[in-house]
Amino acid sequence: MLNSYDLLSITVDGLPEDHLFEKDEPVHCGLTLENRFSEDLSGALKVRVLSDFGTRVYEETIELELQQEVAFNHNLSLGILDPGIYEVNLVFESPFDNKQMSFSIGIAPEDIISPLDRPAGFQNYWDRARRELAAVAPQFKLHKIDSLTTSEKETYLVEMRSLGNILVRGWYHKPTAQGMHPAVLEVQGYSSSRQANQGYQEGDMASFVLNIRGHGNSRDHINPGFPGYLQHHIEDPELYIYRGAYMDCLRALDFLFSRPEVDTTRVAVMGGSQGGALSFATAALAPDRIALCAPSVPFLSDFIDYFKVGAWPAGEFTQYVSEHPEVGWEKVYKTLSYIDIKNLAPWVKAPVFMGVGLLDPTCPPHINFAAYNQLQVPRSYVVYPEAGHGLPAEFGEERNAWIKKHFGLE
């Protein structure tokens, strides 16, 4: 139940718990308006429903006389909507007071269609990147951090060389218990800096918290800043920053696979936002190494539609094109199509568990499902209808439980 309380309140009930409806299922819910003022209110309730592309698909105006302490009930019936994500806006207007609220619903998100748009040479592009990475000696170096070492875990700073001989770093949490352990690679959100005290802390799995190039303590050689990162060499797919960033994730796997305490048959990758994209990419580009993939609110997906449904940081691309007309949108789209996780998703061989915020303006659900719906593996997702780009803590708990169950740790 959704509530907007004050002296004038609007309540919505009858929605599915996750606000999702099946394909060809009529969409309806109950609306209740209650007037707690000391006098009656005359006004109009305006209902407007927009698709995730901003198209108006439903509109209704209801003239009302709200009597004092008497609830007005209305059954809102929107009929059958096409698969997609929709925003429902409710506004009550009167000379005395106005009230508004909004919420989102999803219609059969697994049926959102966004076809692959792989460029020519897509396979070769990534085959060459992996060969170039293999030619770079990793030069792994570990520095133990005694202040963060516990009875269950030892923590190390890890340094290594990645594509282009770029120095990248991360934090490795090694279980102190004897034997071999599952491991999780944790990849980061856009512009974030991962720290030594972050990451999976329990003693039943090893974890490697990675800072990809240009982030955190991996900015020695490449540091375009934010904004600037998304634009870095976007004019050239061979030099584009995410080609190297995806290889940084594979180099992190090389590190985990070099560790004698890691059970290499049980390695997972997880992350949110940019980290969700990096999770998809890692599972796609190292399908023989990743056993589980757990992205949340994944970024870097379905770019042509993303520029229609997303705002920040999409504006960084728009700014770049306006400042570099000689490059233009055609070259930008071509570069982005190589790193688009929608185009990489069919290569994923591991089961996937995804988290989605239905109100996410940064990585809207449409682009999350554009990649998810290209998967050809066992898959599941959970939607948080009142969450935006940040998911509640319960997602992390559910994700970890999913990983543990698959790895036989429960």
Side-chain angles (χ1 to χ4, degrees):
M1 180 180 292
L2 298 173
N3 301 292
S4 179
Y5 283 119
D6 206 338
L7 292 177
L8 174 64
S9 69
I10 303 175
T11 303
V12 179
D13 59 20
L15 289 170
E17 185 176 356
D18 56 7
H19 290 200
L20 299 184
F21 292 84
E22 299 291 335
K23 186 177 182 180
D24 298 328
E25 176 186 2
V27 177
H28 59 84
C29 63
L31 305 181
T32 300
L33 280 73
E34 192 165 357
N35 173 18
R36 297 186 181 88
F37 286 97
S38 58
E39 57 186 88
D40 295 347
L41 290 179
S42 297
L45 174 64
K46 297 182 178 180
V47 181
R48 186 176 66 172
V49 181
L50 301 176
S51 74
D52 42 12
F53 293 104
T55 303
R56 190 173 301 181
V57 299
Y58 181 91
E59 192 166 30
E60 179 182 10
T61 298
I62 307 167
E63 300 293 336
L64 295 176
E65 182 75 23
L66 290 181
Q67 299 178 15
Q68 180 187 358
E69 300 295 339
V70 177
F72 169 80
N73 298 297
H74 176 67
N75 182 41
L76 178 62
S77 296
L78 305 180
I80 295 175
L81 300 176
D82 292 334
I85 311 299
Y86 297 85
E87 179 182 320
V88 182
N89 296 301
L90 307 173
V91 180
F92 178 77
E93 297 178 346
S94 75
F96 190 69
D97 191 30
N98 296 333
K99 193 72 174 180
Q100 64 180 10
M101 71 177 299
S102 63
F103 59 93
S104 289
I105 58 174
I107 313 299
E110 301 100 319
D111 291 318
I112 292 174
I113 298 174
S114 187
L116 299 181
D117 54 4
R118 291 172 171 175
F122 185 77
Q123 176 82 53
N124 177 264
Y125 177 85
W126 288 114
D127 286 346
R128 285 188 294 103
R130 286 177 288 201
R131 288 197 300 268
E132 291 170 25
L133 177 68
V136 176
Q139 303 178 51
F140 298 128
K141 295 180 181 178
L142 281 79
H143 309 274
K144 189 176 182 182
I145 304 175
D146 292 327
S147 61
L148 293 176
T149 293
T150 68
S151 59
E152 289 191 337
K153 282 282 187 79
E154 296 174 352
T155 297
Y156 296 84
L157 168 66
V158 178
E159 296 182 334
M160 56 190 180
R161 297 284 174 162
S162 184
L163 188 72
N165 206 35
I166 298 299
L167 179 65
V168 294
R169 298 182 177 90
W171 311 100
Y172 180 54
H173 302 292
K174 171 189 171 184
T176 56
Q178 295 297 311
M180 298 179 69
H181 306 274
V184 58
L185 171 61
E186 302 185 44
V187 284
Q188 73 202 120
Y190 177 67
S191 78
S192 67
S193 176
R194 302 305 302 272
Q195 304 298 317
N197 60 351
Q198 296 176 330
Y200 185 83
Q201 298 292 326
E202 296 180 41
D204 54 359
M205 285 198 293
S207 68
F208 188 19
V209 180
L210 176 66
N211 276 311
I212 60 171
R213 61 187 60 200
H215 287 67
N217 58 356
S218 297
R219 293 180 288 180
D220 301 60
H221 298 153
I222 294 180
N223 187 24
F226 307 96
Y229 194 91
L230 294 171
Q231 307 165 349
H232 191 65
H233 284 306
I234 198 170
E235 78 286 351
D236 186 346
E238 299 297 320
L239 299 176
Y240 189 45
I241 196 163
Y242 278 107
R243 186 174 190 259
Y246 287 5
M247 292 301 102
D248 296 344
C249 299
L250 268 58
R251 178 90 323 158
L253 286 182
D254 290 337
F255 170 76
L256 286 174
F257 273 63
S258 75
R259 301 301 306 168
E261 68 274 4
V262 169
D263 178 354
T264 57
T265 67
R266 294 185 294 168
V267 175
V269 61
M270 66 183 187
S273 190
Q274 175 186 259
L278 296 174
S279 298
F280 263 98
T282 304
L285 295 171
D288 57 332
R289 289 187 160 189
I290 293 297
L292 296 173
C293 178
S296 60
V297 294
F299 185 34
L300 304 179
S301 175
D302 198 23
F303 283 101
I304 292 178
D305 280 353
Y306 167 64
F307 291 122
K308 300 174 184 176
V309 301
W312 180 90
E316 294 185 29
F317 296 102
T318 304
Q319 176 191 8
Y320 178 88
V321 173
S322 68
E323 294 176 354
H324 298 83
E326 75 283 1
V327 176
W329 279 111
E330 185 176 351
K331 285 186 178 180
V332 167
Y333 278 130
K334 181 177 181 181
T335 295
L336 293 177
S337 66
Y338 284 104
I339 61 98
D340 192 329
I341 61 169
K342 175 187 72 175
N343 291 333
L344 287 164
W347 290 350
V348 174
K349 299 303 180 187
V352 173
F353 176 63
M354 182 175 73
V356 176
L358 204 58
L359 302 179
D360 190 345
T362 303
C363 298
H366 179 93
I367 72 165
N368 304 160
F369 283 100
Y372 180 90
N373 290 344
Q374 293 293 342
L375 293 168
Q376 301 169 18
V377 294
R379 60 185 190 176
S380 57
Y381 65 88
V382 58
V383 167
Y384 298 92
E386 297 181 53
H389 196 52
L391 299 186
E394 63 188 87
F395 171 72
E397 296 169 0
E398 191 168 350
R399 175 200 61 208
N400 290 349
W402 179 77
I403 292 174
K404 288 187 174 188
K405 179 179 179 180
H406 278 270
F407 285 170
L409 299 177
E410 291 187 336

